[in-house]
Amino acid sequence: MAKIVAGVWTSHVPAIGAALDLGKTQEPYWTRVFGGYEKSKEWIAKVKPDVCIVVFNDHATAFSVDIVPTFALGCAAEFEPADEGWGPRPVPVVKGHPELAAHIAQSIIQDDFDITVVNKMEVDHGLTVPLSLMFGQPKEWPCQIIPLAVNVVLFPPPSGKRCFNLGQAIRKAVESYPDDLRVVIFGTGGMSHQISGPRAGLINSDFDRAFLESLATDPSKATSIRHIEYMREAGAEGIEMVMWLVARGALSDNVEEIHRFYTVPASNTAVGHLILEDRASAPSALAAE
Ligand code: DHB
Ligand code: FE
């Protein structure tokens, strides 16, 4: 049977991708950011997931404002990196897992989550930057990836509660898949940031740190945050944090914190990062195997 053994949460700031792609990682501004992922890269190299489900948001790249699905599950065999205006990032094509993705779609739709099935989609920095942070710059990504795009770009985005519940349905779906697959789920985006308007540049470290603490110790607190509170406390783009709740909902209550990192700033936002292993589905020696 397939199992979700861990969750990884990380910001997806596009400038991080540019720093990697343009060879700027040794600059002091960036060593501060990338230093927070050294342990994470070692950890994931030991965990060796077969599949990563990456909960991310498209930034009007694959989906224009013509069609905005609230939840869109990538069921294709491949996802090309998108051209975001400066050309596609020079990263490998993302290989999907169509069988597991179709199984998840079937299971969660039967569980009343009417997600959109996507058989063709390009993926932007929302997905490729978290992969780069965790896997570095390999010729091929070391595992198959199932993208799950969440609308946080055009009002109204889904509630945190809905996102958390979707994560629970995804866990149930994965656990009913017959093959032995080791699955890691990523929650990406955030943390507090506002790109435009009078409050551009807003970062709220207290809010961000409390959110990370809630994910690690008491997700019900973060799950009850309303849209208006994200907007007020974390800025207009802080709503990206609801995506983190999908990944948290996909883990059990029995988690062990492996790593936490927070730094300000990277571009216009804070960088937050958390790794939790799920003790209900993974032995404590997971990373030491
Ligand atoms: C920035 C952050 C984002 O999440 C994004 O999608 C675009 C820009 C930024 O900090 O510049
Ligand atoms: Fe973003």
Side-chain angles (χ1 to χ4, degrees), residues 117-129:
V117 169
V118 184
N119 292 317
K120 187 169 172 28
M121 172 168 68
E122 292 186 337
V123 286
D124 71 11
H125 66 269
L127 183 129
T128 62
V129 166

Side-chain angles (χ1 to χ4, degrees), residues 11-153:
S11 304
H12 66 210
V13 191
I16 292 176
L20 275 162
D21 302 341
L22 301 173
K24 295 189 174 175
T25 55
Q26 296 311 314
E27 293 179 5
Y29 184 92
W30 290 112
T31 52
R32 173 178 52 83
V33 173
F34 289 110
Y37 291 82
E38 285 308 314
K39 179 174 176 181
S40 317
K41 290 202 291 197
E42 285 170 23
W43 172 84
I44 208 156
K46 285 186 192 151
V47 171
K48 290 195 186 65
D50 300 300
V51 181
C52 289
I53 299 172
V54 180
V55 184
F56 78 110
N57 73 290
D58 176 70
H59 298 76
T61 313
F63 306 117
S64 76
V65 291
D66 290 348
I67 296 180
V68 184
T70 301
F71 298 114
L73 188 69
C75 296
E78 287 191 355
F79 306 90
E80 294 278 345
D83 184 338
E84 301 181 53
W86 293 271
R89 288 193 61 214
V91 291
V93 169
V94 172
K95 300 275 169 65
H97 196 305
E99 296 80 13
L100 177 58
H103 173 85
I104 292 172
Q106 153 110 9
S107 176
I108 64 180
I109 288 173
Q110 292 301 310
D111 269 338
D112 304 332
F113 285 92
D114 309 318
I115 51 110
T116 303
V117 169
V118 184
N119 292 317
K120 187 169 172 28
M121 172 168 68
E122 292 186 337
V123 286
D124 71 11
H125 66 269
L127 183 129
T128 62
V129 166
L131 293 186
S132 297
L133 282 167
M134 291 303 293
F135 295 117
Q137 294 169 289
K139 283 213 168 61
E140 300 288 336
W141 299 120
C143 60
Q144 287 160 289
I145 311 285
I146 298 179
L148 172 60
V150 178
N151 168 43
V152 288
V153 166

Side-chain angles (χ1 to χ4, degrees), residues 110-260:
Q110 292 301 310
D111 269 338
D112 304 332
F113 285 92
D114 309 318
I115 51 110
T116 303
V117 169
V118 184
N119 292 317
K120 187 169 172 28
M121 172 168 68
E122 292 186 337
V123 286
D124 71 11
H125 66 269
L127 183 129
T128 62
V129 166
L131 293 186
S132 297
L133 282 167
M134 291 303 293
F135 295 117
Q137 294 169 289
K139 283 213 168 61
E140 300 288 336
W141 299 120
C143 60
Q144 287 160 289
I145 311 285
I146 298 179
L148 172 60
V150 178
N151 168 43
V152 288
V153 166
L154 206 67
F155 192 84
S159 71
K161 182 97 175 63
R162 182 73 174 156
C163 288
F164 188 87
N165 292 347
L166 174 61
Q168 290 181 319
I170 291 171
R171 181 181 183 88
K172 185 174 157 200
V174 168
E175 289 186 343
S176 63
Y177 190 72
D179 293 0
D180 283 336
L181 292 176
R182 187 179 277 200
V183 180
V184 171
I185 187 160
F186 283 41
T188 70
M191 299 201 86
S192 59
H193 62 304
Q194 172 133 355
I195 306 287
S196 61
R199 295 203 306 159
L202 175 147
I203 290 175
N204 183 345
S205 297
D206 290 344
F207 183 88
D208 291 341
R209 288 184 192 279
F211 193 86
L212 288 169
E213 178 64 17
S214 168
L215 281 190
T217 60
D218 179 10
S220 67
K221 275 193 195 150
T223 306
S224 63
I225 300 170
R226 314 285 300 174
H227 286 158
I228 191 70
E229 193 178 345
Y230 283 108
M231 184 69 119
R232 192 175 53 231
E233 299 295 328
E237 279 76 27
I239 191 63
E240 288 184 347
M241 287 152 87
V242 291
M243 298 185 290
W244 294 34
L245 293 165
V246 179
R248 186 60 188 88
L251 298 194
S252 74
D253 287 340
N254 185 2
V255 292
E256 182 180 333
E257 182 170 336
I258 302 299
H259 184 48
R260 194 189 301 200

